[in-house]
Amino acid sequence: MTDDEQLFAGNLVSKRLLRVTTSWHVSGEAEPSLLHLWLHLEGLGPVHFHTPGTGLSLRTGRPPGPYSMERYGDVVVVDDPPDVPVTRFLGEPIRSAREIRYRDAHGDFPAGLTLRFATGSVRLLALDDDLLLAHDQHLGPVEAHLHEDTVLARVVQTCGECPSQWDAWTTSGQYLYLRYRHGEGSVEQHPSEDCDTWDGEESSLWTQWDDGTDGGHIELADFLAAAGLRLAPDAQVSPG
């Protein structure tokens, strides 16, 4: 990886979180506002999260030197801040990194990511040019416009064990390949169930974890719980 290289959500999956660096804008008596976030990930180095305008940007690169005070005012840089939600996951690998979209009558754009770890999750959001970290709190009216494609409308099992695997489609029509073998679970996004379509830019890794059991069989309900997916109330589930 080189500095300032663009990254995508799939690049983060399975990487262990080693350190968190934040920079805050401090002005008078106002609450400090988060300017930038760096997640130091095993095998990737520092990953810079910020909002250059609309949406969330992910790029490689270490925290820079002093900021321009004329542009930002007073800036404080803090390593592993205890009150930032993502810091509680230090030492854990990222189990999944999934896009959050903002949708309203005026448009539809990628607004952030949900990062899932074994012990919980955190949302990284870029809204109105502000970088927000949300753990389990409700963000008010904006929640109605935030959408994550994690609900399955149809699931077809293609193998029972060694591996346990399924073809699945979300309620938005996205195809997912679900697989569990040797205790390792994964969710991959592809254009379709046709393997010949799996080598392009539309394919990416959504989720990966290792439960340490070396098992080859898992029930669908247990797989979905581990992967952070769920069935729609009227989902079609077929044994294949």
Side-chain angles (χ1 to χ4, degrees):
M1 290 288 179
T2 59
D3 282 351
D4 203 36
E5 181 177 344
Q6 183 180 4
L7 296 175
F8 302 93
N11 298 124
L12 312 181
V13 177
S14 78
K15 302 300 189 294
R16 189 176 304 277
L17 179 61
L18 304 176
R19 196 167 90 231
V20 178
T21 301
T22 54
S23 68
W24 303 83
H25 180 207
V26 181
S27 178
E29 297 182 359
E31 286 289 324
S33 59
L34 183 62
L35 287 175
H36 299 274
L37 169 74
W38 290 265
L39 298 185
H40 302 254
L41 300 175
E42 189 173 43
L44 280 182
V47 178
H48 181 204
F49 295 77
H50 73 112
T51 171
T54 299
L56 185 68
S57 171
L58 284 69
R59 310 194 78 87
T60 57
R62 297 186 177 278
Y67 290 91
S68 166
M69 294 305 174
E70 180 180 348
R71 179 179 177 187
Y72 289 113
D74 293 325
V75 174
V76 176
V77 177
V78 182
D79 281 324
D80 297 335
D83 54 345
V84 170
V86 71
T87 304
R88 66 190 288 257
F89 303 117
L90 285 172
E92 296 186 33
I94 295 174
R95 179 170 284 194
S96 69
R98 287 202 279 270
E99 184 180 72
I100 302 170
R101 300 194 69 85
Y102 182 96
R103 296 172 182 157
D104 63 14
H106 305 290
D108 180 342
F109 67 88
L113 296 174
T114 293
L115 301 183
R116 282 178 50 85
F117 299 82
T119 59
S121 63
V122 62
R123 291 181 295 172
L124 283 59
L125 297 166
L127 300 171
D128 295 328
D129 204 25
D130 289 328
L131 184 60
L132 303 175
L133 294 176
H135 176 38
D136 55 1
Q137 69 267 43
H138 193 279
L139 298 178
V142 72
E143 291 285 358
H145 302 291
L146 300 178
H147 301 273
E148 189 178 346
D149 200 12
T150 60
V151 182
L152 303 182
R154 182 182 172 216
V155 181
V156 177
Q157 187 166 32
T158 56
C159 189
E161 59 181 302
C162 297
S164 291
Q165 64 183 28
W166 299 264
D167 290 330
W169 291 262
T170 70
T171 52
S172 70
Q174 175 62 58
Y175 168 74
L176 301 176
Y177 172 55
L178 318 181
R179 189 174 191 268
Y180 178 84
R181 188 178 187 183
H182 299 315
E184 297 181 0
S186 63
V187 179
E188 298 174 11
Q189 166 191 310
H190 297 291
S192 75
E193 66 272 31
D194 182 354
C195 297
D196 291 338
T197 69
W198 290 16
D199 294 329
E201 294 181 357
E202 295 180 64
S203 295
S204 65
L205 179 65
W206 269 28
T207 306
Q208 188 172 64
W209 78 91
D210 186 339
D211 61 20
T213 66
D214 200 38
H217 170 77
I218 190 171
E219 296 294 336
L220 177 61
D222 294 330
F223 184 99
L224 297 182
L229 301 171
R230 60 189 177 90
L231 295 174
D234 57 350
Q236 300 176 20
V237 179
S238 170

